[in-house]
Amino acid sequence: MASSTTRPDIPHLAEEDGVARRLLDSSATLSYDPQTEVDWDTPLDEDFHGTSPEWSTLFGTAYWAELTDAQRKELTRQEAASVAGTGIWFEMILQQMILRDIYAKDPSDETVQWALTEIADECRHSIMFARGAKKLRAPAYQPRRVARELGRAFKTLAFGEAAYAAILVAEEVLDVMQRDWMRDQRVVPFVRTINNIHVVEESRHMKFARDETRKRLAKAGWLRRQINAFVIAVASYVIVTSMVNKKVYAHAGLDEKRALAEAQANEHHKSMLRSSCAGLMEFLASARLLTRPALVFYKRAHLI
């Protein structure tokens, strides 16, 4: 079984040409089958959290201080399931964008083969997240309807650097969270394993998204950068603000109205989000995608 607390060594991925070939080689030597790697049979142990407590939207608030240990654990399990639901939603968007990007291209090309490999990874991840959320005894959380409709438009219209940079945003934010969760002995073991699998395999996806974003932007003019910077920022805002469904509080037995108000004002959680995005913002800045209009949305999402 994949270790829940340590990240396997990943072959070094250099910056020169041949990224797709190295990613294919890495995938061949270091990939997991969640059907057999995750312990699906052991009943849920309610003595564990679903995420590191520090990542809870209520951690550090007055309401958190009032909760019993059991309530805190149930809340983090519901929040973990919500993040999984958002992950499934965006992975479906991702798969469609990549398929559209490689449609009618030469399937013998290694970049196309890597893209198909990434889609296969995302299919397994979506099933893994769905089974994990069910085992956490959570409903099928989905983003609010306006986010789903915006996602429908984005997956249809986004192309090039806008598509790949948005993919990168979603994966980078999840990556930092899940690196904490997979090492945290307070988190239920099967969730740690899920996070470990996702972190290892998504590291390749992020490498590909960064490389594609750079390549697509190489000859982009001022106007194209301005438009794409804005689109990426809006997509980022929708993704990040959809991570935790407001219904998690009621399902955890809390006062939804009070919990939502305290979560929205929680400076600790905002700080955690900003710290998780430091590397991402550095990359976007290097790609000249942190325009003034874009910064408005990143700040509203507490990513900067």
Side-chain angles (χ1 to χ4, degrees):
M1 179 175 290
S3 169
S4 301
T5 57
T6 59
R7 180 187 179 201
D9 292 333
I10 297 175
H12 175 65
L13 302 174
E15 294 296 329
E16 66 270 14
D17 292 338
V19 169
R21 177 70 265 158
R22 291 191 300 279
L23 292 173
L24 285 167
D25 290 343
S26 175
S27 180
T29 58
L30 188 58
S31 291
Y32 298 109
D33 180 0
Q35 299 281 6
T36 57
E37 297 287 345
V38 181
D39 180 5
W40 299 114
D41 298 326
T42 301
L44 174 66
D45 188 339
E46 295 184 0
D47 287 335
F48 288 93
H49 286 274
T51 73
S52 296
E54 293 79 9
W55 273 103
S56 173
T57 55
L58 288 183
F59 184 87
T61 65
Y63 203 176
W64 178 268
E66 296 174 18
L67 300 180
T68 65
D69 186 56
Q71 286 176 314
R72 291 173 180 176
K73 289 172 178 174
E74 178 60 25
L75 173 60
T76 62
R77 291 195 294 268
Q78 292 297 319
E79 289 176 322
S82 179
V83 170
T86 301
I88 294 169
W89 165 69
F90 194 75
E91 285 179 343
M92 290 184 177
I93 292 174
L94 180 158
Q95 291 171 55
Q96 293 177 73
M97 290 193 298
I98 293 178
L99 274 174
R100 184 158 48 83
D101 188 48
I102 64 173
Y103 177 72
K105 291 184 178 178
D106 181 0
S108 67
D109 185 281
E110 291 178 339
T111 298
V112 174
Q113 291 177 18
W114 164 253
L116 292 171
T117 301
E118 180 169 345
I119 291 167
D121 287 347
E122 299 297 6
C123 286
R124 292 196 306 275
H125 294 169
S126 293
I127 295 169
M128 176 176 71
F129 285 156
R131 292 187 69 180
K134 184 176 182 179
K135 186 165 180 173
L136 287 168
R137 301 174 188 162
Y141 291 114
Q142 289 191 343
R144 59 197 184 281
R145 183 170 180 177
V146 65
R148 297 199 305 269
E149 295 306 318
L150 286 171
R152 194 187 305 279
F154 183 73
K155 70 180 178 60
T156 303
L157 301 173
F159 65 93
E161 61 272 16
Y164 284 101
I167 289 169
L168 183 63
V169 169
E171 292 177 343
E172 290 255 8
V173 174
L174 271 176
D175 182 71
V176 175
M177 291 181 182
Q178 292 181 325
R179 285 178 188 273
D180 285 349
W181 304 348
M182 75 184 194
R183 298 185 179 101
D184 195 333
Q185 296 292 329
R186 297 170 295 177
V187 175
V188 66
F190 82 89
V191 171
R192 298 205 306 270
T193 303
I194 287 173
N195 291 328
N196 188 69
I197 291 171
H198 197 247
V199 162
V200 170
E201 298 186 347
E202 289 295 330
S203 67
R204 295 188 286 262
H205 301 181
M206 290 187 291
K207 169 65 181 176
F208 185 64
R210 283 175 180 255
D211 189 65
E212 287 298 306
T213 300
R214 289 192 190 99
K215 288 194 296 188
R216 307 297 174 103
L217 281 171
K219 297 182 180 180
W222 180 86
L223 181 59
R224 177 172 160 184
R225 284 182 187 272
Q226 292 290 313
I227 293 172
N228 281 317
F230 182 76
V231 170
I232 294 163
V234 172
S236 302
Y237 174 82
V238 173
I239 293 165
V240 172
T241 58
S242 297
M243 287 283 187
V244 178
N245 191 302
K246 66 180 182 180
K247 294 179 182 178
V248 300
Y249 305 115
H251 283 292
L254 309 186
D255 180 329
E256 182 179 314
K257 185 176 181 180
R258 180 187 173 188
L260 186 60
E262 294 206 25
Q264 290 175 339
N266 188 354
E267 292 301 325
H268 170 81
H269 191 66
K270 294 174 186 177
S271 175
M272 294 288 282
L273 285 174
R274 285 192 294 271
S275 66
S276 75
C277 291
L280 171 64
M281 292 299 126
E282 183 179 341
F283 171 77
L284 293 176
S286 72
R288 290 184 287 158
L289 291 172
L290 289 185
T291 61
R292 286 187 179 182
L295 284 171
V296 171
F297 285 90
Y298 290 124
K299 289 177 180 177
R300 288 186 64 184
H302 310 297
L303 301 184
I304 197 168

